[in-house]
Amino acid sequence: MPDQNETLKLLEEYGIPYELSEHPAVFNIEEISKIDLPYPDRIAKNLFIRDDKKRNYALLTIMGHQRVDLKEFRKSQGTRALSFASSEDLFRFLKLTPGAVTPLGLLNDSDHSVRLFLDASFLEGNGKIGIHPNDNTATVWLSTNDLIRLLSTHGTTIQTVHF
């Protein structure tokens, strides 16, 4: 599992510019919202979900202030019933622990089993997204387009959606 330093090194290898904000460990949006960060309106909330048969897994990356109705999302995507995946599944697929969930964890998904549904709102405005670098003691700020390019190069299936 790449740690923060390995993740940042990978971004550098791909020529992806970023800013890093180090902070105390945070485990949810409420906690990170109390920290003074440079782009608080660009923080991502990440929800790791699965269908009721545990056959299809997805990461929903949405604006931190937004909420997702899984029933509505299910209808819009034509999927089976959805629920949150377990911490065991989170580690099995993305090598992450609760509180450190990030789209960068998809780089650990060697079988490309997890789809990313990315909030299209991140592509608007300055285009930045704030995500953990596989560690919840920092937030890395980068271009959403650079993130999409990196994950696409890895083979991750990505769909931008309006939540």
Side-chain angles (χ1 to χ4, degrees), residues 113-132:
S113 302
V114 180
R115 292 181 64 182
L116 174 63
F117 290 90
L118 179 66
D119 189 336
S121 299
F122 283 111
L123 295 167
E124 299 167 2
N126 65 15
K128 286 190 186 296
I129 186 169
I131 54 179
H132 290 311

Side-chain angles (χ1 to χ4, degrees), residues 42-111:
R42 307 303 292 185
I43 292 179
K45 177 170 28 177
N46 297 283
L47 309 172
F48 187 56
I49 62 171
R50 62 163 177 84
D51 69 12
D52 60 347
K53 296 287 186 184
K54 296 186 178 184
R55 291 187 189 141
N56 297 294
Y57 289 81
L59 182 64
L60 308 184
T61 298
I62 63 174
M63 289 284 190
H65 64 276
Q66 289 184 309
R67 300 180 70 86
V68 173
D69 180 331
L70 290 182
K71 288 181 183 176
E72 286 300 315
F73 180 76
R74 170 191 174 210
K75 286 178 191 173
S76 73
Q77 298 302 315
T79 69
R80 298 185 59 86
L82 298 170
S83 64
F84 292 101
S86 68
S87 58
E88 292 81 11
D89 285 341
L90 176 62
F91 191 81
R92 179 167 55 107
F93 287 105
L94 305 184
K95 308 295 184 258
L96 297 172
T97 57
V101 183
T102 172
L104 292 170
L106 292 162
L107 297 171
N108 299 322
D109 179 19
S110 56
D111 295 330

